[in-house]
Every structure is written in structure tokens, then in C-alpha cells.
Amino acid sequence: MNETSLGEFEQLVMLALVRVGEDAYGVPIHEELSSRARRTVSVAAVYKTLERLEAKDYVSSRVGEPTAERGGRRRKYFKLESRGRQALRESLATLRRMTAGIEADLPGGGLG
């Protein structure tokens, strides 16, 4: 595995982060995964993956101001960094190369 390789769940979390936009936090990322990827995962798994991606310098985080709706707790916001964008582009390009021309050969007649 090269330095920019992403695991499947890391890739899905990053894609959800892109869809949610800047200043995303765990709950909307989790909701995006649930609705689009149809994955049943815990919010804790999403945060653990975001922490792992942050350790790779693929995402950065910042802590927001305390909010009354959260009982005075702060929310942690995440942002996809340029290194993460590049890793995601490379990962998606690899998937496209690997699936090119085989869609008809898969059970059900395609990937979707």
C-alpha cells in the first residue's frame, strides 16, 4: 500500500465530508454515510476514522464555540485538506481503472 492509500471506510468518510462541506462535524457526516452509502455505523466509528485521517494530515479539525443546544459542549469541525483531496482523487482513479470495462461481467449487470 502506498502512502496515499485509503481504506474503503476512510474513502467513504472523506466523500461524505466533501458532500457535507467545510465545517462539517460527525453527525452530518454520519447521516450522509447512512443515506448515501446505506451503511449502518456508529457516530463513534466516524469520529475514530476522522481522527485517523487527521493523523495522516488528510483532514484538519477545529473546535467551535460552546452551544446551548449541546449543553455548553463544543462541536469539533472537520475540513478536507489538499493532501486528503489528492489521496481521494488517487483512490477514486484507481477504482475507475479497476472497474473500467467489467461492469457488464458483474452479477446484476453492473456496479450500481
Side-chain angles (χ1 to χ4, degrees):
M1 232 181 230
N2 68 31
E3 185 179 334
T4 58
S5 292
L6 295 173
E8 178 193 16
F9 193 64
E10 289 177 324
Q11 185 181 62
L12 291 174
V13 168
M14 290 173 74
L15 288 167
L17 179 57
V18 169
R19 287 193 170 278
V20 173
E22 287 199 22
D23 292 332
Y25 59 97
V27 172
I29 294 169
H30 176 264
E31 290 169 354
E32 192 69 24
L33 283 168
S34 295
S35 66
R36 287 190 184 268
R38 298 181 186 137
R39 295 292 280 268
T40 303
V41 305
S42 67
V43 175
V46 172
Y47 274 109
K48 191 69 174 168
T49 302
L50 287 164
E51 289 171 6
R52 192 168 53 249
L53 291 168
E54 190 169 19
K56 293 179 179 184
D57 294 324
Y58 290 169
V59 302
S60 61
S61 67
R62 70 174 179 77
V63 178
E65 296 300 316
T67 62
E69 72 183 43
R70 293 178 44 82
R73 293 190 340 252
R74 297 171 184 262
R75 189 174 276 157
K76 191 171 187 179
Y77 296 95
F78 294 89
K79 175 184 170 189
L80 187 63
E81 295 295 337
S82 60
R83 182 178 162 106
R85 286 186 190 283
Q86 183 60 36
L88 187 55
R89 274 191 210 101
E90 289 176 18
S91 180
L92 294 173
T94 298
L95 280 174
R96 283 191 290 276
R97 286 191 304 272
M98 290 301 296
T99 59
I102 66 165
E103 292 89 354
D105 296 333
L106 296 174
L111 294 174

